[in-house]
Amino acid sequence: MGLIEIQSKEKFSDLTSVKDKLIALYFHTPWASPCIQMNKVISTLADSPQNKHIDFLSINADNFPEISDLFDISAVPYFVLVKNGTILKELSGADPKEFASALEQLGGNEQEIETNQADSSVSKEKSSSVFDYVSSATNNQDAAPAAVALEEESPEQLKARLRKLTTAAPIMLFMKGTPSAPQCGFSRQLVAILREHQVRFGFFDILKDDTVRQGLKKFSDWPTYPQLYVGGNFQGGLDIIKESLSENEHFFETALVEANNTN
Amino acid sequence: MSSVLNSDQLVKTIKTRLQANEVEVQDMSGGCGQAFAVIIVSDIFKGKNKLTRHRMVNNALSEEISQIHAFTQKVFTTDEWEEQKRLYGSS
């Protein structure tokens, strides 16, 4: 059926009062980078013949604050699956697989998941260079795994989001820019070190989300970027990593093992 | 209200706040006071791991760090510093 972009509240009321149909509501904003990726994913899912029994509505949260409030949307991208006026499921964040499987579960139909790169990359073992876990999940170098918050995000919500981010991959690098386009010398150096040691890592570009940029400084109790997390535990910045490596060339492996043992 | 740090000020600040015996501060930004590399030798670091030590420095210099663009630190106890000098020769 295709993704329908909501242009008016009346249209929204009309479309959501349809009976006995699974309706997928997709809340987005033009400025949140995970949404840009998700837009493509949602369109693809909406156009897929497998999903023709599902209505896909796209709502720009900035333009329709009342609709967003109705569903208590606190971060984008956000999905609400409704049927007959009842909310069946809500999903926060940019995880195409999670969304697709929720559609499958609730839509009651078999379907292919279009996000091939996400599937194959997540399970494949790559022995050579870096596997940018986070970027592959949304098919783009600049993506982040979790949602970008709208306006009020309570400290608890932010903390929960940071916990999710810092454990998005066994090794998570919070940097300025992306591994392919670092925006700061120290971030560039740390990426180089990770690649040199053939370490698989996920990354988050803190220049893209100021809430995370400031929040993570408090969360980690660390004032600068880049920041490296292993197994959800903060390891330090470039200096510490370099020093740790000079004392123990297997620093990354040791840190991973330690994290697995304590988690 | 200048937010430009200079090396001498920084040395004094570090010596006071971290009870450092030796401090080396290098302005890597060519005199702009925007990027500093520091070496701090102090026994307040004894028995503390890297992360804790760096955090002590970060906390002691939090205002200064927030004003500059780049900050890199090496921290040693007096014994460790002697060891460094022995291994690598004095500067």
Side-chain angles (χ1 to χ4, degrees), chain A residues 6 35-36 88 97 113 120 140 167 186 203-204 209 232 262:
Chain A
I6 297 295
C35 289
I36 299 170
L88 299 178
K97 273 178 74 182
I113 297 174
S120 52
N140 182 293
T167 51
F186 292 170
F203 73 92
F204 187 97
D209 186 333
T262 48

Side-chain angles (χ1 to χ4, degrees), chain B residues 24-77:
Chain B
E24 284 181 25
V25 170
Q26 243 192 356
D27 182 336
M28 301 183 297
S29 57
C32 296
Q34 280 303 299
F36 289 97
V38 307
I39 297 183
I40 306 175
V41 184
S42 167
D43 286 329
I44 60 170
F45 297 131
K46 263 205 177 126
K48 302 203 162 60
N49 73 16
K50 282 199 218 308
L51 196 52
T52 311
R53 293 184 186 192
H54 282 233
R55 284 208 166 114
M56 287 172 84
V57 174
N58 290 345
N59 290 334
L61 302 174
S62 60
E63 223 186 276
E64 287 77 6
I65 293 178
S66 67
Q67 286 171 24
I68 58 185
H69 175 75
F71 177 78
T72 166
Q73 51 167 298
K74 284 199 193 328
V75 297
F76 303 99
T77 61

Side-chain angles (χ1 to χ4, degrees), chain A residues 101-238:
Chain A
S101 70
L103 284 179
E104 193 178 323
Q105 258 184 342
L106 301 168
N109 263 32
E110 304 266 285
Q111 57 196 9
E112 304 265 18
I113 297 174
E114 285 285 336
T115 53
N116 43 27
Q117 193 172 1
D119 276 356
S120 52
S121 305
V122 166
S123 51
K124 223 188 265 188
E125 289 288 307
K126 281 198 185 178
S127 57
S128 61
S129 61
V130 162
F131 163 63
D132 292 339
Y133 170 87
V134 167
S135 64
S136 62
T138 46
N139 210 21
N140 182 293
Q141 287 294 319
D142 291 345
V148 175
L150 292 176
E151 307 287 15
E152 329 271 344
E153 186 179 23
S154 75
E156 295 80 38
Q157 286 172 320
L158 177 57
K159 230 181 171 176
R161 187 154 73 99
L162 292 175
R163 256 182 242 122
K164 207 166 176 214
L165 275 175
T166 54
T167 51
I171 297 186
M172 272 301 286
L173 175 64
F174 293 85
M175 62 180 290
K176 292 186 175 179
T178 64
S180 52
Q183 297 298 303
C184 131
F186 292 170
S187 290
R188 180 181 294 114
Q189 283 183 55
L190 194 39
V191 169
I193 290 175
L194 290 166
R195 286 182 168 165
E196 203 184 301
H197 285 76
Q198 310 214 310
V199 175
R200 186 177 305 199
F201 68 94
F203 73 92
F204 187 97
D205 179 358
I206 52 104
L207 295 176
K208 293 257 159 69
D209 186 333
D210 205 59
T211 314
V212 171
R213 183 178 181 170
Q214 303 311 326
L216 193 62
K217 286 187 194 170
K218 286 205 199 87
F219 189 82
S220 315
D221 186 16
W222 194 258
T224 53
Y225 289 100
Q227 293 190 10
L228 194 73
Y229 271 80
V230 175
N233 295 324
F234 179 62
Q235 301 297 313
L238 179 64

